[in-house]
């Protein structure tokens, strides 16, 4: 009997989700950055700045960027002297990061590797910090990925995650839902030529656990000193934990 999971609001076979998510990101890769600016009104840049401050990159830090996408976090961490391994399960997204790095002259201090967050190829205790930005909700087994992050961290290493969260205020939540479901997919159709992928992205946000539940998942993976900070009325949250 097949095990079911959610791809957005659709129930699918667990084994199919990874490929379906891969199709989404292959489709939107070339317009990923510009759509982030449109969807968030540029706020994603401020959210990522706060995430980087929590990572606290420094010279010689070994940093693993999981689901690194087009490289926004990895590039900035590398610019502060860290040794960055930028990974993504989607080769098209990783190629987009490589192109952007070449365009901006960011060729030092970054390695690129296709990696599955649930089956990282790295040895135990390989990194000083592990981060994932807007990627954990797309993982089929979030608990498995969190245990992998814990495994590859050195003792005392830090995990930092930036992800969409739950808006607590009822009135703001209604306005946010109206914008998300009525505007973002249409915008995706106009800008990226792919309305369906952005419909999935909106739905995947709503299926992600509330911030307190996700913090408990991080604790269950073995992390201590966990916490989270909500930003922009709770639309996103930065989560952290220490090995």
């Amino acid at each position: 009997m097949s095990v079911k999971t959610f791809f957005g609001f659709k129930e699918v076979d667990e084994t199919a989700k990874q490929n379906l998510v891969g199709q989404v990101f292959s489709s939107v890769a070339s317009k990923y950055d510009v759509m982030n600016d449109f969807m968030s009104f540029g706020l994603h840049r401020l959210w990522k700045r706060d995430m980087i401050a929590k990572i606290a990159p420094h010279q010689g830090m070994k940093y693993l960027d999981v689901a690194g996408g087009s490289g926004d976090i990895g590039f900035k961490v590398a610019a502060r002297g860290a040794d960055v391994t930028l990974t993504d399960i989607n080769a098209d997204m990783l190629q987009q990061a490589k192109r952007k790095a070449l365009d901006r002259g960011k060729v030092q201090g970054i390695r690129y590797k296709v990696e599955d967050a649930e089956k990282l190829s790295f040895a135990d205790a390989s990194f000083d910090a592990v981060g994932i930005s807007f990627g954990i909700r797309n993982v089929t087994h979030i608990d498995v990925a969190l245990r992998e992050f814990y495994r590859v961290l050195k003792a005392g290493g830090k995990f930092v995650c930036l992800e969409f969260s739950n808006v607590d205020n009822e009135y703001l939540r209604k306005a946010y839902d109206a914008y998300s479901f009525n505007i973002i997919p249409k915008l995706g159709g106009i800008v990226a030529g792919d309305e369906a992928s952005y419909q999935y992205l909106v739905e995947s946000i709503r299926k992600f656990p509330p911030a307190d539940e996700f913090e408990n998942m991080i604790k269950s993976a073995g992390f201590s000193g966990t916490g989270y900070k909500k930003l922009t009325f709770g639309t996103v949250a930065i989560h952290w934990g220490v090995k």
Side-chain angles (χ1 to χ4, degrees):
M1 183 177 178
S2 62
V3 178
K4 299 292 185 180
T5 189
F6 283 97
F7 173 74
F9 290 163
K10 298 185 183 78
E11 195 173 51
V12 299
D13 285 346
E14 195 175 65
T15 54
K17 180 172 179 175
Q18 190 177 99
N19 285 336
L20 291 169
V21 172
Q23 290 168 22
V24 166
F25 284 94
S26 290
S27 174
V28 305
S30 65
K31 297 294 185 180
Y32 183 78
D33 288 331
V34 69
M35 272 300 295
N36 281 346
D37 279 328
F38 273 113
M39 288 190 301
S40 71
F41 304 100
L43 287 170
H44 75 99
R45 299 175 185 274
L46 301 179
W47 301 334
K48 290 170 182 174
R49 181 194 66 187
D50 287 354
M51 177 185 178
I52 291 164
K54 192 66 183 177
I55 295 167
H58 54 79
Q59 192 71 36
M61 170 189 270
K62 291 189 178 300
Y63 177 71
L64 176 62
D65 192 353
V66 182
S70 62
D72 277 357
I73 301 294
F75 294 161
K76 290 181 173 63
V77 172
R80 300 192 188 184
D83 178 7
V84 173
T85 301
L86 198 159
T87 72
D88 202 290
I89 196 170
N90 188 290
D92 293 318
M93 287 299 297
L94 211 57
Q95 192 61 37
Q96 192 70 17
K98 291 177 182 178
R99 287 195 198 100
K100 191 160 71 173
L102 287 172
D103 289 345
R104 298 182 182 183
K106 298 179 183 294
V107 295
Q108 300 298 319
I110 303 176
R111 282 181 296 278
Y112 303 88
K113 199 167 185 201
V114 174
E115 289 280 340
D116 182 344
E118 296 182 36
K119 301 173 185 176
L120 296 173
S121 67
F122 309 105
D124 296 356
S126 294
F127 297 95
D128 300 301
V130 173
I132 183 168
S133 171
F134 299 121
I136 193 70
R137 75 182 188 282
N138 297 309
V139 173
T140 304
H141 304 100
I142 293 173
D143 56 337
V144 174
L146 290 171
R147 290 196 296 270
E148 276 292 271
F149 303 160
Y150 186 88
R151 179 184 67 78
V152 300
L153 275 171
K154 299 175 183 178
K158 185 186 298 182
F159 166 64
V160 183
C161 174
L162 174 63
E163 188 52 88
F164 289 103
S165 193
N166 54 307
V167 177
D168 296 318
N169 182 281
E170 179 183 355
Y171 300 105
L172 289 174
R173 184 169 63 250
K174 287 179 179 178
Y176 179 48
D177 283 348
Y179 168 70
S180 297
F181 287 102
N182 298 322
I183 304 298
I184 288 179
K186 300 297 183 187
L187 194 60
I190 295 167
V191 176
D194 189 345
E195 184 172 332
S197 288
Y198 283 93
Q199 181 69 35
Y200 158 73
L201 292 173
V202 169
E203 292 175 0
S204 70
I205 293 168
R206 299 312 185 276
K207 296 302 293 184
F208 191 70
D212 55 348
E213 290 183 23
F214 184 51
E215 181 184 8
N216 286 333
M217 294 179 74
I218 296 170
K219 288 179 180 176
S220 296
F223 290 97
S224 61
T226 61
Y228 64 85
K229 176 185 177 183
K230 287 192 172 185
L231 306 172
T232 315
F233 309 110
T235 52
V236 301
I238 299 172
H239 289 262
W240 59 83
V242 177
K243 180 172 179 178

